[in-house]
Amino acid sequence: LTKAIFTDSEFEQEVLPHLLAVLKSVWGFDSFRKNQLDLVRAVLTGNDLLGLFPTGAGKSLTFQLPALVRPGLTLVISPLIALIRDQVQKLRHEAEVKYVNCLVSGMTSMEQEEVLAEAQNKRLRILYVSPERLRDPRFRAFLDKLPIVQLVVDEAHCISTWGHDFRPDFLEISTLLPATKSIPIQALTATATTPVRNEIEKTLELGKRGLPFVTMTGDFRRDNLVFRVFHPSSAKDRDALTVSLAQQIVGSEKGGAGVIYVATRRESERLAALLRSRNIAAQPYHAGLATATRHHVQELFMQGEIQVVVATNAFGMGVDKQEIRFVIHYDHPNSVEAYVQESGRAGRDGKEAYGILIYSSATQRTHRFLAKKGIPTSDEIAEIAKRVLAADFYGAVRHSDGSIFTSFENIVTELDFEEAKLWVIVHALEQAEVIKRGEDFVLEATVLLNNSLDDILNRLSKTDQELFEILIKEFNFKPNVRCYYKALPLIQKIDNNPHVVDALLTKLAQTGELIHRTYARGSTFRAGINANNKNVVKKIATDFLTRFQQFDSRLKDMIKFAEMSVNSGQCRAAYLINYLTGSTSSPRCGKCDLCTTNYPVPWSMSAVVAPEPLQVHPTMAILETVRDHNNQYGKTTLKKILLGEAFGKSGGKQYELPAYARNSEHFGVLRGVLNQEKLQNYFDRLIADGYISEIERRRSNDGGIYTSIQLRPRGRDILAGAEPIPTSES
């Protein structure tokens, strides 16, 4: 096949036989699943396409298969790095398809160069990239040279501010559109309500670039998935239900593995320990674990050596385990979309599986608290805009043309802001044209010259010669010697634009004059047209409040699902399908707890027994609390968190702990275990032995100095299990 786009008749007569042959040889399937062929046909006949298909419905096949049977490159943008790696692994190593590769974080500079060279030289049919690559100067330099015939946006709901999983990086996709001209776009998602779909269509300009546009919706009915919701009356009953149901399902003839979703890291650790006390192979999974630990837990789960993973929502994206028999939500997620995606990970093998929700009204308070905590105030937004535009922080350099060069890590460190929250604020300032963000640049790199300085200089234009001579002088470039290039010191000395240097070094690398390995990227900012407009900053803050209202609306829809009663005449499966598709007439499933009370399930409520309470280890509780509030609070506040004391006295006056401290997941964990004096002894011993330390910090509100507690490497070793817990405690 020599064409990228086909007519309908060509598709039927010439393309379809090839598709079926490749489908059989690579995937081992004799035929397409329902709706898959329609998507593939729409792709190969040149349509812009929005596909709404449920989790596990084989969305990836609908772009992988067309990519393998036609010339050119399919560029796939996906936020799920675990899924990217998994799909590349399966195609390259299991199916022995060598025309697939990826560009994601964690790859070396050399690996990235090799992948881009493969793509440029038409040795790749599929290239996966993560969203943060879209500002990468090296990727942008190659973009116009790539033989792209299809742009795929996976998990496209991440584009939408209405969605449950908005990612600012995804909005960079719109900057690709001029480079991709009239190339068809295939946007795919498993969770997109009508407002989300509308925003995806608008942002990606689907159907607006001279191409026909079609929307396709798959069958969201999962006949093998049985939904149940329980309403325990106490925390003890909630634990008993969760642990007993998991134990019974794992031990039943249905067998298989399971996932239990929780809202906090602490619950992940605690419930995993409770399950292990019932002889169930269970491990926690959350963002607080080291990356290597998370990968190890996921690998053991995929191989069947772990029966149950107790996880926050950090787990699941890219986990394609077919025989998951149950997904229990100890805490419900904050949206119906997220619930469908998470519960839909059960039963992908087509056998009966169970989506179980252990409902507690306390969960919604946790979600609302965390969401409110992430809403920036107008003062915070104004402060960030002011500091960035004034280059008023370490590691920021102002250029003579008004550009500000720095790294995002410098901003995070200097302004002491949570990284994810800062990203969202910077993006909002950019959208409102308070600041203007340019292309990223190479912050640091190594350069190895392959030829003599004279040979390289003689082959350059006069302008390039002058710049290269500056680089030779500043960084002591020599043939066959690895030299280090740093952009910010260069800008400070010669007031040069790092993008010009990037272009020169990239050109020399492509002609073989040198080897250019980048390992850090910087960000470029300058004032936007609304830089001094205070009303715009206030509007940004108002927009964030509107987003919270959108969040709250989605949360209420999730609570409605949990609180539906038998007398409502509704069906849980039908509610989920109607919510996602906008339908009002989805048929009842006949299996959920609202449809029937006697559908056979592999557990008995009479066998539900409360687990033995876990022994709280004070040292571990203290170290975990310090870790999660590292450098934030002093001993007094940390002790109150651990003992569950919301109030204190200072200078004879009563004060209340900050809301964040009162809502800490460690609040009250040592209540009834230790008194004030013994807890103080623990802190003193841990400081003396080098597990934690005291450091002085400056308060942001009044500039005063206070002493906070910091976790030391030795303390981290205990939490990681690399060092035994101290035994000399009394």
Side-chain angles (χ1 to χ4, degrees):
L1 301 178
T2 58
K3 295 172 61 178
I5 303 298
F6 304 91
T7 64
D8 286 322
S9 61
E10 287 173 335
F11 179 85
E12 291 291 342
Q13 297 171 21
E14 301 175 33
V15 181
L16 188 54
H18 289 282
L19 289 174
L20 291 171
V22 176
L23 186 67
K24 176 70 174 176
S25 64
V26 175
W27 284 272
F29 300 150
D30 291 313
S31 61
F32 289 94
R33 290 187 193 179
K34 186 178 181 181
N35 297 117
Q36 279 183 325
L37 182 58
D38 292 335
L39 255 76
V40 171
R41 183 195 306 270
V43 170
L44 287 174
T45 51
N47 296 275
D48 278 345
L49 170 66
L50 174 57
L52 178 62
F53 280 71
T55 300
K59 295 188 297 296
S60 300
L61 179 66
T62 67
F63 62 79
Q64 291 173 341
L65 182 55
L68 295 183
V69 300
R70 65 180 179 179
L73 180 71
T74 294
L75 182 66
V76 184
I77 301 169
S78 172
L80 312 181
I81 292 178
L83 181 58
I84 289 174
R85 293 187 185 279
D86 181 65
Q87 292 187 357
V88 172
Q89 167 77 16
K90 286 180 177 177
L91 286 171
R92 285 183 68 91
H93 302 291
E94 296 177 23
E96 297 186 355
V97 176
K98 303 302 182 185
Y99 312 110
V100 181
N101 220 319
C102 61
L103 282 173
V104 295
S105 58
M107 296 176 67
T108 67
S109 184
M110 182 184 296
E111 289 171 334
Q112 293 179 39
E113 280 184 16
E114 290 172 352
V115 171
L116 286 168
E118 281 185 316
Q120 184 181 0
N121 295 325
K122 302 182 180 180
R123 294 198 296 269
L124 291 182
R125 296 291 180 86
I126 305 174
L127 175 61
Y128 288 90
V129 298
S130 51
E132 70 268 15
R133 289 297 111 196
L134 304 184
R135 284 194 191 264
D136 184 352
R138 180 179 311 193
F139 177 75
R140 302 293 296 216
F142 272 85
L143 187 60
D144 288 334
K145 304 168 188 174
L146 300 181
I148 301 172
V149 295
Q150 183 83 25
L151 177 63
V152 177
V153 183
D154 201 10
E155 306 296 334
H157 60 273
C158 294
I159 287 174
S160 173
T161 56
W162 280 89
H164 69 285
D165 200 16
F166 170 59
R167 312 280 182 91
D169 277 339
F170 250 66
L171 291 169
E172 282 302 303
I173 295 171
S174 61
T175 67
L176 287 180
L177 297 180
T180 54
K181 303 181 182 73
S182 59
I183 291 168
I185 296 175
Q186 182 181 3
L188 297 169
T189 179
T191 52
T193 56
T194 300
V196 174
R197 276 178 266 175
N198 291 340
E199 192 166 358
I200 293 171
E201 182 179 341
K202 178 181 178 182
T203 304
L204 294 180
E205 300 181 17
L206 300 179
K208 302 290 175 57
R209 297 165 302 116
L211 296 171
F213 170 51
V214 293
T215 299
M216 294 187 178
T217 303
D219 185 0
F220 278 80
R221 189 175 179 85
R222 293 282 303 277
D223 291 329
N224 66 317
L225 196 54
V226 180
F227 291 100
R228 289 286 185 275
V229 177
F230 295 96
H231 294 78
S233 57
S234 68
K236 183 178 179 181
D237 289 344
R238 192 172 167 212
D239 284 353
L241 265 171
T242 304
V243 174
S244 294
L245 292 180
Q247 184 181 32
Q248 290 183 65
I249 298 172
V250 167
S252 71
E253 63 179 20
K254 306 260 185 184
V259 180
I260 299 176
Y261 280 106
V262 295
T264 66
R265 299 173 182 182
R266 178 184 170 193
E267 292 295 1
S268 171
E269 302 273 359
R270 188 182 67 84
L271 280 176
L274 283 176
L275 287 163
R276 290 195 298 273
S277 74
R278 290 280 185 91
N279 296 317
I280 297 172
Q283 289 294 331
Y285 186 105
H286 55 73
L289 298 173
T291 302
T293 303
R294 293 200 304 273
H295 288 169
H296 184 59
V297 170
Q298 180 171 323
E299 185 177 340
L300 292 176
F301 182 67
M302 297 297 288
Q303 293 171 352
E305 296 183 40
I306 292 176
Q307 294 167 302
V308 179
V309 172
V310 186
T312 61
N313 61 6
F315 180 81
M317 294 189 293
V319 177
D320 189 22
K321 186 175 176 70
Q322 299 294 302
E323 63 277 12
I324 294 176
R325 288 276 66 77
F326 66 91
V327 171
I328 295 176
H329 279 85
Y330 182 85
D331 291 300
H332 64 74
N334 57 25
S335 70
V336 174
E337 298 102 308
Y339 182 75
V340 170
Q341 199 165 47
E342 291 170 1
S343 61
R345 292 181 179 124
R348 291 190 181 182
D349 56 2
K351 298 177 182 178
E352 190 164 89
Y354 307 93
I356 302 168
L357 173 57
I358 314 293
Y359 179 66
S360 168
S361 59
T363 298
Q364 59 182 283
R365 292 195 294 273
T366 300
H367 284 311
R368 284 196 173 97
F369 167 74
L370 292 173
K372 285 180 178 177
K373 176 175 170 282
I375 299 175
T377 65
S378 58
D379 288 344
E380 288 175 326
I381 297 167
E383 176 69 10
I384 289 171
K386 176 184 174 184
R387 296 282 296 275
V388 169
L389 292 176
D392 182 22
F393 53 91
Y394 175 78
V397 177
R398 182 181 295 281
H399 189 262
S400 59
D401 68 1
S403 297
I404 296 150
F405 300 107
T406 184
S407 73
F408 201 80
E409 289 72 19
N410 287 341
I411 303 175
V412 170
T413 302
E414 181 73 13
L415 301 187
D416 195 23
F417 243 77
E418 184 182 338
E419 184 173 354
K421 185 175 179 180
L422 190 57
W423 263 121
V424 172
I425 293 173
V426 168
H427 164 71
L429 289 167
E430 183 183 5
Q431 291 294 103
E433 297 186 272
V434 174
I435 63 176
K436 186 175 181 180
R437 190 172 171 199
E439 285 189 24
D440 286 359
F441 61 92
V442 175
L443 189 69
E444 297 181 20
T446 59
V447 175
L448 179 67
L449 304 187
N450 293 326
N451 296 313
S452 70
L453 295 174
D454 289 340
D455 286 346
I456 296 174
L457 287 168
N458 288 336
R459 286 190 279 269
L460 293 177
S461 66
K462 183 178 179 181
T463 302
D464 285 346
Q465 279 181 355
E466 292 173 353
L467 178 57
F468 197 67
E469 285 174 342
I470 292 173
L471 296 177
I472 292 170
K473 179 181 177 182
E474 290 296 326
F475 302 105
N476 198 24
F477 284 178
K478 295 177 182 177
N480 302 315
V481 176
R482 183 180 287 107
C483 304
Y484 291 91
Y485 163 77
K486 294 185 178 181
L488 296 183
L490 180 69
I491 303 166
Q492 287 176 312
K493 285 188 176 182
I494 65 170
D495 195 38
N496 212 320
N497 191 313
H499 299 104
V500 178
V501 179
D502 291 348
L504 174 59
L505 293 178
T506 299
K507 180 169 64 175
L508 291 173
Q510 290 175 342
T511 58
E513 301 280 15
L514 54 80
I515 297 173
H516 181 218
R517 307 286 189 225
T518 66
Y519 53 91
R521 292 212 319 261
S523 300
T524 307
F525 301 97
R526 62 188 308 157
I529 59 174
N530 293 318
N532 299 313
N533 191 330
K534 294 181 180 179
N535 291 329
V536 171
V537 171
K538 290 179 181 178
K539 183 180 183 305
I540 294 172
T542 302
D543 290 343
F544 275 112
L545 289 173
T546 301
R547 283 189 61 193
F548 176 77
Q549 292 166 1
Q550 295 166 5
F551 157 85
D552 201 53
S553 175
R554 293 194 299 271
L555 179 60
K556 287 176 180 176
D557 289 332
M558 183 66 232
I559 295 168
K560 181 180 177 182
F561 169 84
E563 294 182 344
M564 288 190 302
S565 66
V566 175
N567 298 328
S568 67
Q570 294 179 288
C571 164
R572 296 202 188 278
Y575 177 90
L576 298 176
I577 296 170
N578 289 343
Y579 183 89
L580 288 179
T581 64
S583 172
T584 57
S585 57
S586 297
R588 297 170 69 89
C589 70
K591 297 179 179 182
C592 73
D593 53 334
L594 302 186
C595 285
T596 179
T597 58
N598 57 9
Y599 187 82
V601 291
W603 65 80
S604 169
M605 296 305 293
S606 63
V608 173
V609 179
E612 290 294 320
L614 294 171
Q615 294 296 317
V616 178
H617 201 297
T619 292
M620 294 297 286
I622 293 169
L623 292 177
E624 287 169 356
T625 305
V626 173
R627 175 195 65 197
D628 291 346
H629 299 287
N630 204 27
N631 285 340
Q632 188 174 12
Y633 298 127
K635 269 191 298 188
T636 300
T637 300
L638 289 172
K639 286 191 295 181
K640 289 190 176 299
I641 289 173
L642 288 159
L643 296 175
E645 299 174 356
F647 295 92
K649 280 191 174 181
S650 177
K653 294 183 179 180
Q654 182 170 286
Y655 67 89
E656 187 177 24
L657 256 61
Y660 186 55
R662 298 196 308 274
N663 286 276
S664 168
E665 59 184 81
H666 304 283
F667 193 81
V669 70
L670 292 181
R671 182 188 289 140
V673 178
L674 296 177
N675 59 26
Q676 278 274 4
E677 182 181 354
K678 288 187 175 180
L679 182 54
Q680 178 66 48
N681 290 339
Y682 268 93
F683 268 96
D684 291 343
R685 187 178 297 112
L686 290 170
I687 291 171
D689 292 343
Y691 297 104
I692 58 178
S693 62
E694 294 179 294
I695 62 168
E696 288 191 346
R697 294 201 66 193
R698 188 178 297 278
R699 284 190 293 266
S700 58
N701 57 348
D702 61 7
I705 301 296
Y706 74 101
T707 302
S708 68
I709 299 295
Q710 180 183 55
L711 188 65
R712 299 287 301 277
R714 198 176 179 195
R716 293 190 186 278
D717 287 343
I718 290 180
L719 291 174
E723 182 174 328
I725 301 171
T727 55
S728 58
E729 298 172 350
S730 60

